[in-house]
Amino acid sequence: MTDSDDQPERKRGTGSRLVYDTLREEILSLVLQPGEPIDEIGLADRLSMSRTPIREALVRLAADGLVTLLPNRSTVVSQIDFPNLHRFFDAMTLMYRVTTRLAAEFHDAEDLVEIRARQDAFARVVVAGDTAGMIQLNRDFHVAVAEAGRNPYYLQLFSRLLDEGRRILRLYYYPTFEPRLPHPYIQEHEAMIAAIAERDVDTCDRLAKDHADKIVQQIQQMMARDLRQDIKL
Amino acid sequence: MTDSDDQPERKRGTGSRLVYDTLREEILSLVLQPGEPIDEIGLADRLSMSRTPIREALVRLAADGLVTLLPNRSTVVSQIDFPNLHRFFDAMTLMYRVTTRLAAEFHDAEDLVEIRARQDAFARVVVAGDTAGMIQLNRDFHVAVAEAGRNPYYLQLFSRLLDEGRRILRLYYYPTFEPRLPHPYIQEHEAMIAAIAERDVDTCDRLAKDHADKIVQQIQQMMARDLRQDIKL
DNA sequence: TGCATTTTATTTGTCGACAAGATTCTCTAG
DNA sequence: CTAGAGAATCTTGTCGACAAATAAAATGCA
C-alpha cells in the first residue's frame, strides 16, 4: 500500500473547499510555519486531485491574507507582520468594543444560548489545560458575540483579526502557559455575557476594552521577555 | 471585422488581473447590474483567454463580496444588501472617524501632498459636473487619508465599504444630482486636511463624523423619496 | 578554487477537453 | 390545452498537458 488515502468519492465542487479548510487550519495552527513554501503538486498528490481546485483555494487564502502569491514563483505562508503589530492591537481592541456593544443592542434569546454554549466549551478546555483548544474556543466565543451584533462588516474584519491572533498567540502564549483556576478570562467573559443580557452598552464597551487591553498587555510582556532571552543568549 | 479586440500580446500572469480589474470596474459602475449573471465563456471569448484565469478572478471578486458563486450554477453580481444598509452606514461612519483620526496622528509630509492632490482632482470633477468622477474621486480622497493613517486592517475594510458605497451612490445619488458651487463636501474635505495637518485628532474625529452623518442622511432622504415614488405608481 | 555563463530541471500560468450537474426543450398522456 | 417525464443542450468543476518563467546544476574560464 503506497497510497495512504484511498479516494473517498468526493462530491463535485467540494475539492476547493477541502483544500481551503485544510490549509487554513494548518496555517493558523502553525503546522505550516510563516514563510514556508506551499507545494501545489505535493498537495494535489496528497489530496488526490488536480492542481486546479488547489490553486483556487490558494487564491482564496491569499484574499484572506494567509498566504502570499509570488508571481511565477512559489506560494508561501504569509509572514506575521510584526512591524504592524501595534496596528493589529489597535484594530483588535476597536473590534472587541464595537462587536460587544452591538451584541448588547441587537442580540436575541437564541444568541445568548449560543454565546453561553461557546463560553461553556471555553471553560471546559481551560479546565482541561488544553491551550490550543483555549485559543480556538476563545475565538469562537467572540465570534458568537459578534454574530449577535448582526454587523457582517465588523464580523468579517474581526474574524480575520482573531485568526491572525491565533497565530500570534500560538507563538507567544502557548510555551509559557500554566493553567490556573478560576481563570480571569472566564470571569471576564461571564461579566460580558451578563452585560449583554442586560443590554448595558456602556458596561459592554468598558469590559471589552479592559479585556482587549489585558490580552494585548500580556502578549507584549511575553514578547518583551522573549526578546530579552534572545539578547541573553 | 468580427473581432473588435486583436490580442495585444499579454504578458504571462496578467490575465487574471485584467479580468479582475475589468469586472470590478463594471460591477462598481453598475454596467453589470446586481443579480446579473456572469458568462465565463463569453468573457473568455471577449478577452481572448481561457476560462482558467477568469475563474481565478471570479474567486477573488467573490472574496471581495462583489460576486456570488452559486455552486454548479452561474456566478452572479452580488445584490446590494438593503436589509443591512444601516449596518453599512454604521461601519462606514466608524471607519471615516478612525481613519481620519489616525491620519492626524501618523501622516507625514508626503501623505499631505497625496491627499491634497486627490482633493484637487475631486474639486475639478465637481466643477465639471462629472458625477461619476465625483463618486470615484471622493473615494480616492478618503483612501488617501486612510493610507496616511497607516493601519492596513482599517484600510481594507474602509476600501471595501467605499466600493460598496459607489454602487449605492450610483443608484440613489446620480439621478438627482444638480451641481452647485462651492460644494459643501469640498469645504468639509478642506477642513479635514487642515485638521490632519495640525494633528488635531479630536477635530478630525468630529469632522469625519459630521461628514459621514451628512452623507448617510442624504442617501436616506433620497431612498425615502424613491420609495414614495414607488408607492405613488 | 572561485566566479560567470550556459544548460538542465523544476514549477507556475494557461489552455483545450471532458464529465457531472443544471436548465431548457420536446413529446406524450391525460 | 396543460402537466410531467424524458431527451437534448448548456454551464460548471476538474483534469492532464504544455509552454513561459524561474531555480538549480553543470560547465567553462580566470
Side-chain angles (χ1 to χ4, degrees):
Chain A
M1 286 177 218
T2 53
D3 218 359
S4 56
D5 319 80
D6 10 23
Q7 47 269 44
E9 282 301 313
R10 276 184 297 94
K11 260 180 213 153
R12 177 190 169 85
T14 60
S16 169
R17 176 158 205 107
L18 174 66
V19 182
Y20 178 83
D21 292 340
T22 304
L23 280 181
R24 176 194 167 79
E25 190 52 40
E26 292 186 354
I27 291 170
L28 294 180
S29 63
L30 293 182
V31 170
L32 294 175
Q33 299 241 333
E36 191 169 336
I38 294 174
D39 178 20
E40 291 182 11
I41 298 171
L43 265 174
D45 201 43
R46 183 151 71 91
L47 300 173
S48 60
M49 62 178 72
S50 107
R51 277 175 50 228
T52 308
I54 285 167
R55 287 181 60 83
E56 188 176 314
L58 290 179
V59 169
R60 283 210 279 156
L61 288 167
D64 296 342
L66 293 178
V67 305
T68 307
L69 301 166
L70 305 172
N72 281 323
R73 238 165 316 149
S74 66
T75 302
V76 298
V77 178
S78 292
Q79 296 286 351
I80 295 173
D81 192 2
F82 287 107
N84 269 332
L85 213 54
H86 67 102
R87 280 145 192 150
F88 169 80
F89 290 141
D90 183 50
M92 190 69 142
T93 304
L94 184 63
M95 284 303 108
Y96 265 112
R97 292 175 58 190
V98 170
T99 55
T100 313
R101 289 178 69 107
L102 289 178
E105 261 189 277
F106 294 115
H107 79 269
D108 60 25
E110 286 177 37
D111 294 323
L112 284 183
V113 173
E114 183 63 28
I115 291 170
R116 162 60 50 199
R118 307 289 181 104
Q119 164 70 349
D120 292 346
F122 177 67
R124 274 196 296 278
V125 293
V126 170
V127 171
D130 172 10
T131 319
M134 244 186 84
I135 294 168
Q136 170 67 36
L137 289 170
N138 178 66
R139 176 198 184 282
D140 290 348
F141 172 80
H142 287 289
V143 166
V145 171
E147 276 170 349
R150 298 278 190 285
N151 189 310
Y153 303 101
Y154 295 146
L155 178 61
Q156 201 213 14
L157 174 56
F158 197 25
S159 298
R160 185 180 164 175
L161 291 166
L162 286 166
D163 283 340
E164 191 69 15
R166 258 180 81 183
R167 295 212 297 173
I168 296 168
L169 280 168
R170 280 260 185 178
L171 272 182
Y172 288 104
Y173 192 57
Y174 183 70
T176 63
F177 176 69
E178 43 199 270
R180 56 188 157 135
L181 285 174
H183 198 89
Y185 290 164
I186 293 181
Q187 294 174 308
E188 289 177 28
H189 283 186
E190 289 294 345
M192 278 184 196
I193 294 175
I196 290 169
E198 287 173 25
R199 303 200 178 277
D200 185 343
V201 173
D202 291 335
T203 302
C204 278
D205 189 88
R206 188 174 49 73
L207 289 172
K209 185 176 183 331
D210 291 348
H211 194 59
D213 286 347
K214 197 177 282 185
I215 291 174
V216 168
Q217 201 183 336
Q218 192 166 359
I219 295 175
Q220 283 175 331
Q221 277 177 7
M222 293 186 216
M223 287 181 65
R225 185 169 48 192
D226 218 54
L227 290 174
R228 271 198 305 250
Q229 285 177 348
D230 278 358
I231 293 167
K232 240 194 291 181
L233 296 172
Chain B
M1 290 177 215
T2 53
D3 216 0
S4 54
D5 319 79
D6 10 22
Q7 48 268 46
E9 281 302 312
R10 274 182 299 96
K11 262 181 212 151
R12 176 189 168 86
T14 61
S16 169
R17 177 159 204 107
L18 173 65
V19 181
Y20 178 82
D21 292 340
T22 305
L23 279 183
R24 176 193 167 79
E25 190 52 40
E26 290 185 355
I27 291 170
L28 293 179
S29 63
L30 292 183
V31 170
L32 293 175
Q33 299 241 334
E36 190 170 336
I38 294 175
D39 179 21
E40 292 182 10
I41 298 171
L43 265 174
D45 201 42
R46 183 150 72 92
L47 300 173
S48 58
M49 63 179 71
S50 109
R51 277 174 50 227
T52 307
I54 285 167
R55 286 181 63 84
E56 188 177 315
L58 290 179
V59 169
R60 284 210 278 154
L61 289 167
D64 296 342
L66 292 178
V67 306
T68 306
L69 301 166
L70 305 172
N72 281 323
R73 240 163 314 148
S74 66
T75 301
V76 299
V77 178
S78 292
Q79 295 286 349
I80 294 173
D81 192 0
F82 288 107
N84 269 332
L85 213 55
H86 67 103
R87 281 145 191 150
F88 168 81
F89 290 142
D90 183 50
M92 190 70 142
T93 304
L94 184 64
M95 286 302 108
Y96 266 112
R97 291 176 58 192
V98 171
T99 54
T100 312
R101 288 178 69 106
L102 289 178
E105 261 189 276
F106 295 115
H107 78 269
D108 60 24
E110 285 177 37
D111 293 322
L112 284 182
V113 173
E114 183 63 28
I115 291 170
R116 162 60 49 199
R118 307 289 182 104
Q119 164 70 348
D120 291 346
F122 177 67
R124 274 196 296 278
V125 292
V126 171
V127 170
D130 172 11
T131 318
M134 243 185 84
I135 294 169
Q136 170 66 35
L137 289 170
N138 177 65
R139 177 199 183 281
D140 290 347
F141 172 80
H142 287 288
V143 166
V145 171
E147 276 170 348
R150 299 278 190 287
N151 190 311
Y153 304 101
Y154 295 146
L155 177 61
Q156 200 213 14
L157 174 56
F158 196 26
S159 298
R160 185 181 165 176
L161 290 166
L162 285 166
D163 284 339
E164 191 69 16
R166 258 181 81 183
R167 293 212 297 174
I168 296 169
L169 280 167
R170 280 261 185 178
L171 272 182
Y172 288 105
Y173 192 57
Y174 182 71
T176 63
F177 176 71
E178 43 199 88
R180 55 188 158 135
L181 285 174
H183 198 88
Y185 290 163
I186 292 180
Q187 295 173 307
E188 290 176 26
H189 283 186
E190 290 293 346
M192 279 183 197
I193 295 175
I196 291 170
E198 288 173 24
R199 302 199 179 279
D200 185 343
V201 173
D202 290 335
T203 302
C204 278
D205 189 87
R206 188 174 48 74
L207 288 171
K209 185 176 182 334
D210 291 348
H211 194 57
D213 286 347
K214 197 178 281 185
I215 292 174
V216 168
Q217 200 182 337
Q218 191 165 0
I219 296 174
Q220 283 176 332
Q221 278 178 6
M222 292 186 216
M223 286 181 65
R225 184 168 48 192
D226 218 52
L227 290 173
R228 271 199 304 251
Q229 284 177 348
D230 278 356
I231 293 166
K232 241 194 288 181
L233 295 173

